[in-house]
Amino acid sequence: MSGAQRRSVILGTGSELPNKVITNEDLEKMVDTSDEWITVRTGIKERRVLEEGKGNADMAYRAAQRALADAGVEANDLDAIIMGTVTPDYPFPSSACVLEDMLGARGAFSFDVGAACSGFLNAISVADSFIRTGKANKALVVGSDALSRLLNWQDRTTCILFGDAAGAVVLGASENGSRGILSTKLRTDGSYVKQLYVPAGGSLKPARAETVERNEHTITMNGKEVFKIAVRSMEEISREAMDEAGVSIDQVSLVIPHQANRRIVVALAERLGVPMEKVMVNLEKYGNTSAASVPVALDEARRQGRIKNGDIVLLNAFGAGFAWGAAVIKF
Ligand code: ACO
């Protein structure tokens, strides 16, 4: 493992799950599906949905407040707020700016990073670079998405998979330890753009009565292709991140993968050679919460006492783009 140098350390974590629960039984009343099909194919039992009238930043704010309290850091001490999201409150400005105002973080520069389900990995990687290069001392990194806003609730192939949530971490600088973020790795392959995307609502096909009529503002996905590439890519990038960090899979105490589908997680664990006891899974309660999935699972793992000082944790994610990433962190 590489020696002492300036690194980012996790000072605190927090998460927020909306109160409204949609169970598989609820979905049975909405589309032609069954609890059994959803459970067997995905492992998901229920998901949360952000109430109407609330925006992404409302969730992010609560997660951020909890992370700041956990870290003992004041909002005014933040140098950067970086938010992974593809469901900002407005087309512009960024939800990170909305969040900055809610928190009263007067000294921060804030922006969103759009990498879909990999958004938190991208955001933490960017924040880590700012910290390691001395451009920031304290950063709030958020993964927050309300994919319920992009779902066609008549499409059984997508509406059963996703939920809304926010997760946050506060990063600080450590000058003299081997603790902290040991490595991050990011990758994309834009040739897969149309395998998982929202066709309308951007500059190519702006919102019009016809696009709404055709349901083009909702998620379109080739599930089988996503599944296949997700498993392979997350395995590869996890190995690259571990190589860069100089750690072996046996030294990893806990893997926190993107919570998309239990079958993807199990296949990934098998390929990495990790027993499921060392893999964090909470997707049965929340479904795939996009950029929030990894930080929410990280926060839950910490609160459940599954991460102790000195533990090495591997994070990984995969999503639209395709975009994927991994990080190795020593607590
Ligand atoms: N309920 C009942 N039947 C369904 C449902 C449903 N909700 N959805 C599809 N079916 C039917 C299909 O129509 C098909 O019927 P047919 O055989 O008569 O044509 C049958 O079930 C099998 O469908 P498949 O698509 O082949 O099912 P598969 O085993 O591939 O599972 C799933 C589908 C769950 C989407 C899987 O491919 C998957 O998880 N892919 C990854 C997608 C994902 O996680 N995306 C999230 C974003 S990216 C990421 O985060 C990794």
Side-chain angles (χ1 to χ4, degrees), residues 29-65:
K29 297 179 196 122
M30 296 158 70
V31 285
D32 180 15
T33 191
S34 65
D35 172 46
E36 194 201 348
W37 193 97
I38 300 170
T39 306
V40 169
R41 302 280 177 139
T42 73
I44 299 164
K45 299 298 278 183
E46 58 187 47
R47 64 290 290 145
R48 304 296 182 93
V49 170
L50 182 62
E51 69 182 271
E52 290 298 324
K54 298 276 183 201
N56 185 337
D58 292 303
M59 287 191 297
Y61 174 61
R62 288 174 183 274
Q65 274 188 316

Side-chain angles (χ1 to χ4, degrees), residues 154-178:
Q154 268 92 54
D155 176 7
R156 68 177 183 175
T157 67
T158 51
C159 76
I160 57 144
L161 295 172
F162 300 99
D164 302 339
V169 306
V170 177
L171 294 183
S174 162
E175 298 292 344
N176 59 354
S178 56

Side-chain angles (χ1 to χ4, degrees), residues 32-33 37 41-42 117 156-157 160-162 196 221 223-224 226-227 230 258 260-261 263-264 288 318-319:
D32 180 15
T33 191
W37 193 97
R41 302 280 177 139
T42 73
C117 298
R156 68 177 183 175
T157 67
I160 57 144
L161 295 172
F162 300 99
L196 177 54
M221 178 183 75
K224 277 200 189 309
V226 174
F227 193 112
H258 174 45
N261 178 321
R263 284 156 59 215
I264 292 179
N288 178 348
F318 181 93

Side-chain angles (χ1 to χ4, degrees), residues 142-158:
V142 182
S144 185
D145 265 317
L147 286 192
S148 66
R149 305 298 200 248
L150 299 178
L151 289 177
N152 174 355
W153 292 98
Q154 268 92 54
D155 176 7
R156 68 177 183 175
T157 67
T158 51

